[in-house]
Amino acid sequence: MGDNPIWKAAAMADHFEKIQKLADPIPGVPNFRRVPGYKVYCCGQPTVAGLEAALEKVTGSIYPKDGKIIWFNLRQEPSVYVNGEPICARPPNKIGEYAELGNITRDQNKADEPEFMKVCENRAAENGGKLKVVDINKVEKEVEVKEMKTLSQVIEGAKAKFPGLVHMRV
């Protein structure tokens, strides 16, 4: 399948039990919060529905939905969404721990994202339509794949309702 290390990556679920640490949760948007005094918001990797919920919360009834919204994604690993849930490509030896992956660039991540989706599609096809996913506790489960999208595809879909949305991978 090539020399790209993405082909050896584990599919790690971004959401896990007890991920929510802050009050006033928004479903699908882990630890959503606002930086006091600024129109800057932060959260963990949202679900597809959570992305829209976060954007609705940010725009509210005042800010125009077609106004400029800049979404910074600081995730080092490529992400795909399986049935609306975020999954990242994680080195198998970095499950459940902070994964400092070195000098990862935006361009490398952008190129690896569709490759990781191919990895997940192939793994699911070889396993009767089910993808093996591991959580931060190294517990493996199988997920029946009904729909799969890259993070970029999810963002493009959100732009239908929020045309001013700009996605920046840093």
Side-chain angles (χ1 to χ4, degrees), residues 122-133:
N122 288 342
R123 289 177 184 172
E126 292 168 0
N127 192 35
K130 295 182 179 180
L131 178 65
K132 290 182 182 178
V133 177

Side-chain angles (χ1 to χ4, degrees), residues 15-141:
H15 290 201
F16 52 91
E17 193 175 330
K18 298 184 182 177
I19 189 174
Q20 183 66 39
K21 302 292 183 195
L22 304 176
D24 305 318
I26 298 175
V29 191
N31 300 307
F32 182 84
R33 64 224 180 255
R34 181 176 177 181
V35 177
Y38 298 92
K39 291 184 179 180
V40 174
Y41 303 84
C42 309
C43 67
Q45 196 75 18
T47 63
V48 172
L51 175 64
E52 185 172 332
L55 292 169
E56 287 287 351
K57 179 85 171 173
V58 167
T59 56
S61 60
I62 299 171
Y63 193 78
K65 303 226 182 304
D66 61 351
K68 191 165 203 166
I69 301 167
I70 302 173
W71 188 286
F72 288 99
N73 188 315
L74 306 180
R75 160 105 328 127
Q76 295 182 77
E77 307 95 338
S79 295
V80 298
Y81 283 77
V82 175
N83 307 333
E85 297 289 325
I87 293 172
C88 71
R90 181 62 68 100
N93 64 336
K94 298 287 186 180
I95 302 298
E97 62 183 71
Y98 179 73
E100 177 56 53
L101 301 179
N103 191 20
I104 302 295
T105 66
R106 174 209 172 275
D107 292 339
Q108 180 182 352
N109 218 341
K110 187 100 172 143
D112 281 348
E113 194 173 84
E115 286 297 309
F116 182 55
M117 189 157 100
K118 287 179 195 171
V119 168
C120 292
E121 288 171 338
N122 288 342
R123 289 177 184 172
E126 292 168 0
N127 192 35
K130 295 182 179 180
L131 178 65
K132 290 182 182 178
V133 177
V134 64
D135 69 14
I136 65 160
N137 298 311
K138 301 178 183 174
V139 175
E140 191 176 275
K141 68 177 183 174

